[in-house]
C-alpha cells in the first residue's frame, strides 16, 4: 500500500499540501518581500503618513498644524512652543515632532511572503494582498499616531500635557495604546490575517496524512487563473 498526501483544491485541481514546501517557499519569498519593501520604503509609508496627518490635524487642530514626509519618516508640525528657541525678533519657535513610520510597516512584507508561499490562484493572491493593505495601513497609522501622542505627553512638558488633557486624553491611556500599537499590532496582525484568509490550506496542513485511496481534499473556493508553484 503506497502512502498518500493531503491535498487542497485549487482551480479544480487537487494540489498536494506540504509543510516543508510551504516553509521553503516562505523562506525564499520573505527576504525578497523585505528587500522590495525597504527599497520602496518611501512609497510604502506614503499612505500611512497621509492618514496620520489627516487624523491628527482633524482631531486636534489646536495642537497639530500639519504633516510632511521625509523618505520613511514623518514630521509633524505642532502649535506647541519650543523651549529655548526664539528667532531674531524674539518670537518663540514651535515644535516639530518626528517618527520613523517604517518601523510600524513591516507587517506588509510579512503578509506578502506568507501569501506568495501559499498555493492559490493569482486573482485570490491579489485579493488577499488588497485586503491586507486595507487593514494594515490603518493599523500602521495607529502605531505612528500613538507614538506622536506619546511624545507630546511625555517629552514636550506641561504645554503638551495640558493640550492633550483638554481633549480628554491622559498619559496612561496614551502609554497603553502606544505599547499595543508598537509591540503587538505590527507583529501579530499580518499573521492573523493570513490565518483567517487561508483556513482550508492550514486545515490541510494540520490533518494527518491519509493512506492511498482515502486522501482528503479541501476546497479553497478560489476563482480561475491559478498561481500554483510546482
Amino acid at each position: 500500500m503506497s502512502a498518500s498526501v493531503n491535498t487542497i483544491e485549487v482551480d479544480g485541481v487537487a494540489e498536494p499540501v506540504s509543510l516543508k514546501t510551504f516553509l521553503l517557499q516562505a523562506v525564499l519569498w520573505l527576504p525578497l518581500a523585505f528587500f522590495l519593501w525597504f527599497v520602496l520604503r518611501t512609497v510604502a509609508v506614503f499612505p500611512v503618513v497621509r492618514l496620520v496627518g489627516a487624523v491628527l490635524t482633524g482631531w486636534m487642530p489646536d495642537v497639530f498644524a500639519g504633516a510632511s514626509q521625509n523618505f520613511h519618516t514623518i514630521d509633524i508640525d505642532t502649535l506647541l512652543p519650543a523651549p529655548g528657541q526664539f528667532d531674531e525678533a524674539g518670537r518663540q519657535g514651535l515644535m516639530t515632532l518626528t517618527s520613523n513610520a517604517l518601523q510600524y510597516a513591516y507587517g506588509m512584507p510579512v503578509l506578502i511572503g506568507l501569501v506568495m508561499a501559499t498555493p492559490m490562484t493569482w486573482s485570490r493572491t491579489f485579493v488577499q494582498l488588497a485586503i491586507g493593505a486595507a487593514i494594515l495601513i490603518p493599523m500602521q497609522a495607529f502605531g505612528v499616531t500613538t507614538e506622536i501622542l506619546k511624545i507630546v505627553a511625555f517629552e514636550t512638558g506641561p504645554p503638551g500635557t495640558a493640550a492633550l488633557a483638554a481633549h480628554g486624553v491622559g498619559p496612561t491611556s496614551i502609554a497603553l495604546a502606544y505599547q499595543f500599537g508598537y509591540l503587538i499590532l505590527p507583529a501579530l496582525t499580518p499573521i492573523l490575517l493570513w490565518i483567517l484568509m487561508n483556513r482550508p490550506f492550514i486545515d490541510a496542513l494540520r490533518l494527518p496524512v491519509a493512506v492511498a485511496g482515502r486522501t482528503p481534499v479541501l476546497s479553497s473556493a478560489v476563482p480561475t487563473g491559478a498561481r500554483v508553484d510546482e
Side-chain angles (χ1 to χ4, degrees), residues 91-103:
R91 293 172 299 189
Q92 189 170 17
L94 300 177
M95 292 186 186
T96 297
L97 311 179
T98 301
S99 171
N100 180 4
L102 197 66
Q103 64 185 342

Side-chain angles (χ1 to χ4, degrees), residues 42 53 57 69 77 80 142 160 182:
T42 300
T57 56
Q69 181 178 352
D77 297 324
L80 302 174
F142 175 82
Y182 180 74

Side-chain angles (χ1 to χ4, degrees), residues 114-195:
L114 293 175
V115 169
M116 294 302 297
T118 306
M120 68 180 79
T121 64
W122 277 111
S123 57
R124 188 172 178 86
T125 298
F126 292 131
V127 168
Q128 290 196 8
L129 294 180
I131 294 173
I135 295 175
L136 290 175
I137 289 174
M139 179 273 297
Q140 295 158 8
F142 175 82
V144 177
T145 299
T146 55
E147 181 184 3
I148 295 296
L149 294 177
K150 179 197 68 112
I151 295 174
V152 173
F154 298 101
E155 301 179 26
T156 61
T161 304
L164 293 180
H167 289 271
V169 182
T172 301
S173 59
I174 291 176
L176 291 175
Y178 168 72
Q179 294 295 331
F180 183 68
Y182 180 74
L183 297 176
I184 299 177
L185 283 182
L188 294 184
T189 304
I191 298 175
L192 291 177
L193 281 175
W194 176 78
I195 292 174

